[in-house]
Amino acid sequence: MRRNRDAGPFVGAGTALLLALVAGCSSGPPPLSGKTVTSRCLDTSLPVETVVSLFGVYEGAPGPGERERRADEHRPMRVQVETRDDSGPEVLILSSYEPVIWDVSAVAANDLRGVIVYGYYRSELAGAPAALPVRHVALRRADDREAAPDGAPAACGEPLSVHEGGLELEALDAQVTDAVGLPIAHFAGAYSTARLALDDPRPVDPDEARRTADRPDRRPGIEAVNALVAGGAIRLATGADIAAWNAKASAQLRSSRLAPFVSDYLRTGDTYVVLRGFTVPEGMNGARARNFIIPEGVAMPVDGGSHNGYYPMAGGQCVGPSPDCRRRDRAGLLPQDGSFRPKWRDNPWGVDGG
């Protein structure tokens, strides 16, 4: 600690005590309790104070002088991850769809206890200590010609790919809790990036901004929709309406403590708010279909077989052919023991129907 020259050669006892306390508080994490849990996946004991951090991307981003990845190739790109220096013992969960070279050299100097790498394509690890317990859980190699080697025990779970909040994060959170013995404490994710750090703010999703920007409905079938608007049955949804449903849906997920759920399929310009019960006109299929948010206390439309999606605000639910509603599992009731195993890219949301 640098000496304060303005204070002179003498520092009062009270001040010295305060400085000592401040120095003690900044010296690192508190001592461990000695209590441990056993990680079924890593096959090792971990202090109960171990911090589990999840980093997720769909793909890495090109580094300096590196070209963009072509759509028909699965070339791994490097992603550097950073945690906090005073975290104490740490376990990293790394998840991606495309193959990634996960650079953990910035974390290796900390008290790193293990790494689990999940993904559709098998990723690699760089900068990790040689003796560190590492497990890879993947479906395919990067060349896409054969399955990835089965080098992870079944206790590690499925090769889930997660880079944002939602149902995949909900499933991975339950799976990691079962595999590691501790829940995920922190999450940093992005669709494509070369660096992820826990202290960075949540990145702005440009697709999310476009989905919620107020705009008129210009899709086919507008005549039937306009008739319902004119009759007082529906109104065009705003970005605030969509955000309110997303918030309701997030509240049903334990993983919302890590990141909120944001529907990819609720968009202004083809989403409406139901104001009263009505019978759905014929022909609302394909491009003529719309999504409807149903406020609490408002009756569901009577639908004889359209392609519309219905999003009741009560419980943040979803009914219909939208991928938001594809499966009937109630996302808020996923089993706590990690036994929930969704099929790859299958979306476990919804209520009756869909």
Side-chain angles (χ1 to χ4, degrees):
M1 184 172 60
R2 296 181 61 183
R3 181 170 180 262
N4 185 348
R5 296 181 181 274
D6 295 334
F10 177 78
V11 178
T15 303
L17 177 60
L18 177 61
L19 292 175
L21 289 173
V22 171
C25 291
S26 60
S27 62
L32 303 180
S33 65
K35 299 178 180 179
T36 63
V37 298
T38 299
S39 169
R40 300 197 309 136
C41 175
L42 295 171
D43 193 25
T44 187
S45 293
L46 300 169
V48 295
E49 294 84 3
T50 299
V51 175
V52 181
S53 297
L54 166 63
F55 295 89
V57 297
Y58 181 86
E59 62 181 1
E66 189 176 15
R67 65 174 175 83
E68 294 281 349
R69 182 182 61 81
R70 298 193 308 270
D72 61 344
E73 69 175 342
H74 304 287
R75 178 169 53 88
M77 289 183 281
R78 187 174 296 264
V79 178
Q80 181 176 351
V81 301
E82 299 176 19
T83 60
R84 299 171 181 134
D85 293 340
D86 60 351
S87 294
E90 297 179 278
V91 165
L92 300 184
I93 309 299
L94 309 174
S95 176
S96 66
Y97 181 84
E98 293 291 344
V100 165
I101 301 172
W102 291 103
D103 183 350
V104 300
S105 57
V107 185
N110 299 345
D111 191 4
L112 189 57
R113 300 296 181 97
V115 179
I116 308 175
V117 186
Y118 291 104
Y120 184 83
Y121 291 98
R122 193 180 195 277
S123 293
E124 302 301 329
L125 199 62
L132 188 72
V134 176
R135 300 290 184 268
H136 290 268
V137 186
L139 286 182
R140 306 197 69 80
R141 293 183 184 273
D143 58 18
D144 204 22
R145 289 195 297 269
E146 58 181 310
D150 186 11
C156 293
E158 302 292 329
L160 301 180
S161 168
V162 175
H163 68 275
E164 61 186 353
L167 299 169
E168 291 83 1
L169 179 58
E170 183 82 350
L172 186 58
D173 185 30
Q175 178 171 287
V176 167
T177 301
D178 186 54
V180 176
L182 297 165
I184 298 170
H186 306 294
F187 169 55
Y191 184 88
S192 176
T193 187
R195 175 182 174 273
L196 286 173
L198 293 184
D199 289 330
D200 288 349
R202 177 175 173 251
V204 176
D205 184 348
D207 290 332
E208 181 181 341
R210 283 192 291 270
R211 287 193 298 270
T212 57
D214 294 341
R215 56 184 172 178
D217 187 344
R218 302 187 186 280
R219 297 185 62 184
I222 191 64
E223 298 82 9
V225 171
N226 284 342
L228 292 171
V229 171
I234 62 175
R235 65 169 175 81
L236 192 62
T238 65
D241 295 319
I242 293 172
W245 187 88
N246 285 332
K248 274 281 191 176
S250 291
Q252 312 306 310
L253 303 177
R254 297 186 308 274
S255 60
S256 62
R257 73 186 189 282
L258 303 170
F261 172 80
V262 178
S263 169
D264 290 330
Y265 303 95
L266 283 181
R267 302 172 295 245
T268 57
D270 63 2
T271 300
Y272 288 79
V273 176
V274 175
L275 303 177
R276 62 169 176 79
F278 66 93
T279 299
V280 175
E282 293 184 2
M284 296 193 76
N285 298 307
R288 297 175 178 271
R290 301 296 193 274
N291 291 319
F292 296 91
I293 296 174
I294 319 295
E296 295 189 49
V298 176
M300 286 279 290
V302 178
D303 192 332
S306 75
H307 291 167
N308 294 335
Y310 299 101
Y311 292 73
M313 285 293 294
Q317 298 169 339
C318 175
V319 183
S322 167
D324 281 336
C325 328
R326 188 172 298 160
R327 289 188 60 189
R328 297 170 183 246
D329 302 279
R330 294 181 183 272
L333 297 177
L334 294 178
Q336 300 283 339
D337 61 2
S339 60
F340 173 66
R341 295 289 183 263
K343 294 180 181 178
W344 180 254
R345 303 179 100 181
D346 202 1
N347 201 337
W349 203 288
V351 294
D352 295 338

